[in-house]
Amino acid sequence: MATLSQDLRERIVAAYDRGDSTRQQIAERYNVSLGMVKKLVQQRRHTGDIAARHRFSGAKPKITAAHQRQLSRLVAEQPATTLEDLRD
């Protein structure tokens, strides 16, 4: 799914603020899902902003900072350690 432009996001929220249409009507008018209209209104309520939030999307890292520190320590102690040894 493509990211909505900032201009379109602003028009959707402005239509909601005018209060002359339901969220479903706004979604149909701008050819977006009802969920997107709800998401924008909720995002503005919680953050005060409607900009795309790409930095919060996607899978979370599997290797945390604690894991990285532990791996660094293990490799420093035994530089010849193989990946298989580390997995064990």
Side-chain angles (χ1 to χ4, degrees), residues 7 15 17 22-23 25 33 39 41 50 88:
D7 177 60
D17 289 342
T22 66
R23 290 181 293 185
Q25 290 169 331
S33 68
K39 174 193 167 285
V41 171
I50 58 171
D88 293 337

Side-chain angles (χ1 to χ4, degrees), residues 63 66-87:
I63 298 179
H67 292 132
Q68 290 176 346
R69 286 190 300 273
Q70 184 180 15
L71 284 171
S72 295
R73 182 182 53 77
L74 290 171
V75 170
E77 289 173 2
Q78 296 180 340
T81 303
T82 65
L83 184 57
E84 188 174 324
D85 292 337
L86 290 173
R87 282 188 205 136

Side-chain angles (χ1 to χ4, degrees), residues 11-73:
R11 287 186 281 147
I12 290 169
V13 172
Y16 176 82
D17 289 342
R18 283 193 302 273
D20 57 358
S21 303
T22 66
R23 290 181 293 185
Q24 183 63 46
Q25 290 169 331
I26 294 168
E28 291 169 1
R29 182 182 317 145
Y30 293 104
N31 197 30
V32 297
S33 68
L34 175 60
M36 177 54 73
V37 176
K38 290 178 180 179
K39 174 193 167 285
L40 288 173
V41 171
Q42 183 179 28
Q43 180 179 330
R44 182 181 63 173
R45 188 178 330 119
H46 287 115
T47 67
D49 189 23
I50 58 171
R53 300 180 58 166
H54 294 289
R55 66 185 180 275
F56 298 111
S57 64
K60 303 299 179 232
K62 302 282 189 244
I63 298 179
T64 65
H67 292 132
Q68 290 176 346
R69 286 190 300 273
Q70 184 180 15
L71 284 171
S72 295
R73 182 182 53 77

